[in-house]
Amino acid sequence: MRVREATEQDLDAVIHVGVTTWRATYPPITGETYVEEGIAKWWAPDAVLPGIRAGTMLVAEMDDQVVAMASYSVFEDHLMLWKLYVLPDSQGSGAGSALLSEVIARAGDLPVRLTHLVGNDRAHAVYERLGFVESATVPSPIDDGPEEIVMERPAG
């Protein structure tokens, strides 16, 4: 397993991770309309490239193939994990944990915050194991989507 910053050459692989994972994970939770709206909004090249160019997107590789990605940035008084996705066939491989550990390391003195969809119990359990605690519930950023659970891990 290798974790590294994404480059522009990873664009298609990063989009593949996101789109594949969304289509495999979210329909039972959100319905197809939410999935397709989210893919159009957050997985188009114009939505992915800024994080790559800013150096705030990481990928995890196994056998020289990108199997997972994470994007983050400093936001207000914390480091926000915006995306963390692992291809369905690679879930349980440690790729997600490796990416999250790197994001936490990059946070330095800042707490790390993330959100996940209400109903995504698997993600919730993973984040809890890694020291995140539920702190709030917020409305969906997509009309008629499920609420999101906010989780936070203290600095350090």
Side-chain angles (χ1 to χ4, degrees):
M1 175 84 49
R2 178 178 164 217
V3 172
R4 61 174 176 79
E5 284 186 13
T7 68
E8 289 190 32
Q9 288 73 36
D10 296 312
L11 177 65
D12 290 341
V14 167
I15 291 171
H16 173 74
V17 168
V19 170
T20 301
T21 306
W22 269 60
R23 288 189 171 140
T25 305
Y26 292 149
I29 299 169
T30 66
E32 295 290 338
T33 300
Y34 178 96
V35 170
E36 294 309 314
E37 284 182 32
I39 287 170
K41 184 174 185 173
W42 292 306
W43 294 104
D46 288 347
V48 175
L49 275 171
I52 291 174
R53 290 178 176 152
T56 58
M57 187 170 297
L58 304 172
V59 293
E61 293 179 318
M62 292 174 52
D63 301 323
D64 295 323
Q65 296 294 316
V66 173
V67 298
M69 61 76 58
S71 68
Y72 64 93
S73 67
V74 174
F75 183 73
E76 298 172 351
D77 61 348
H78 59 279
L79 187 138
M80 184 70 189
L81 176 65
W82 298 109
K83 298 177 181 173
L84 176 64
Y85 292 100
V86 180
L87 287 172
D89 291 345
S90 297
Q91 291 176 5
S93 68
S97 294
L99 284 168
L100 191 50
S101 293
E102 180 63 24
V103 169
I104 291 167
R106 290 174 180 227
D109 294 338
L110 296 175
V112 178
R113 192 172 296 161
L114 57 85
T115 64
H116 69 80
L117 296 177
V118 168
N120 193 346
D121 298 333
R122 185 172 182 183
H124 193 88
V126 167
Y127 296 137
E128 278 186 328
R129 278 196 307 274
L130 295 169
F132 286 82
V133 176
E134 186 174 333
S135 60
T137 304
V138 296
S140 174
I142 294 178
D143 290 342
D144 300 321
E147 291 183 315
E148 295 187 354
I149 295 173
V150 179
M151 298 184 82
E152 189 166 320
R153 184 179 191 280

